[in-house]
Amino acid sequence: MRTHGKKYRTAAQKIDAARSYQAREAIDLVKSAAFAKFDETVEVAVRLGVDPRHADQVVRGTVVLPAGTGKSVRILVIAQGPKAAEAEGAGADMVGTEFIQKIKDGFLDFDVMVATPDLMGQVGQLGRVLGPRGLMPNPKAGTVTFDVGRAVRELKAGKIEFRVDKGGNVHAPIGKLSFAPEALETNFTAFMDQIVRSKPAAAKGVYVRNVAISSSMGPGVTVDTTPYR
């Protein structure tokens, strides 16, 4: 049986586990209960009333967090000609088709890859390397596009991707503990609004079943789901 440390147990005593809090209250509690000596990531966990085993109930999407993620993102863009120049102008960290061979040789020093559709035939050869690491460009995530400038700017501004796991849960970061409560609340609201908009037509019954906010090391705080039903 897993046991928590003294600092975690002390932090958990500040939270009423039997109560559901409003979003702002939950965020304030998460900040006050934090005890780690680093700037923890604030995360949201959502339990959805879907069965991911059915393709028509898979919840997947993207959202640009208004206050950003608090994390610098290294973006690699596979493009050539004018599109490569566009990506560089938008702030991409690495640009060029030569990175396809570099990745085959073991290079993986980036967080997100964006590719133009005309080069996906070559990028597809990297599926076995990029797929398991969640780095493969995908049209649904907006990372396979000719509008590379916009894709790069959105990613730099705080765009995140989410996808339901096998248990029907979605996890996502909404900022850092050092963010102002107002910024975390804004990001949380944007994320939850997108979750609601992403409800599959095939989903029946209660869609948003449970929501919790926590820091990387701290206890979770249950959020009232009434606004999302």
Side-chain angles (χ1 to χ4, degrees):
M1 182 177 177
R2 182 182 178 185
T3 57
H4 292 291
K6 182 179 179 180
K7 291 182 179 179
Y8 182 98
R9 294 197 300 270
T10 301
Q13 289 175 358
K14 299 179 180 180
I15 300 164
D16 183 352
R19 178 185 167 190
S20 295
Y21 296 85
Q22 296 302 309
R24 180 57 182 271
E25 289 181 293
I27 289 167
D28 288 341
L29 275 172
V30 167
K31 288 176 71 69
S32 66
F35 57 85
K37 295 182 179 180
F38 62 93
D39 191 11
E40 300 175 67
T41 297
V42 178
E43 304 167 346
V44 177
V46 183
R47 182 176 173 233
L48 298 175
V50 297
D51 187 348
R53 293 176 298 178
H54 301 288
D56 60 355
Q57 293 191 47
V58 172
V59 177
R60 180 176 187 173
T62 61
V63 59
V64 177
L65 300 178
T69 63
K71 177 184 177 182
S72 58
V73 182
R74 297 165 300 173
I75 302 174
L76 166 61
V77 178
I78 304 298
Q80 56 190 356
K83 290 300 175 183
E86 180 183 331
E88 290 176 347
D93 300 276
M94 296 157 277
V95 182
T97 56
E98 67 272 16
F99 284 95
I100 295 175
Q101 184 57 50
K102 289 183 178 181
I103 292 171
K104 290 180 180 179
D105 295 336
F107 175 79
L108 289 169
D109 194 20
F110 58 93
D111 300 307
V112 183
M113 178 191 284
V114 176
T116 52
D118 58 317
L119 294 175
M120 280 305 293
Q122 298 179 52
V123 175
Q125 301 171 17
L126 308 174
R128 291 184 179 181
V129 177
L130 301 179
R133 294 172 173 82
L135 296 172
M136 192 69 181
N138 188 294
K140 292 183 179 179
T143 48
V144 177
T145 176
F146 280 117
D147 195 355
V148 292
R150 177 181 177 183
V152 170
R153 286 189 293 271
E154 287 184 341
L155 288 165
K156 287 290 185 180
K159 183 178 181 179
I160 61 169
E161 181 181 1
F162 59 85
R163 180 169 182 168
V164 67
D165 63 20
K166 294 180 180 179
N169 304 300
V170 176
H171 298 84
I174 58 167
K176 293 289 187 177
L177 207 59
S178 58
F179 281 22
E182 295 81 6
L184 289 171
E185 185 178 13
T186 298
N187 281 353
F188 173 79
T189 299
F191 173 72
M192 289 305 302
D193 285 348
Q194 188 59 42
I195 286 289
V196 172
R197 284 194 293 268
S198 301
K199 179 181 179 180
K204 305 299 180 184
V206 178
Y207 176 55
V208 178
R209 294 187 174 180
N210 185 269
V211 180
I213 302 176
S214 67
S215 60
S216 301
M217 304 294 290
V221 181
T222 302
V223 179
D224 182 14
T225 60
T226 303
Y228 312 111
R229 295 191 177 185

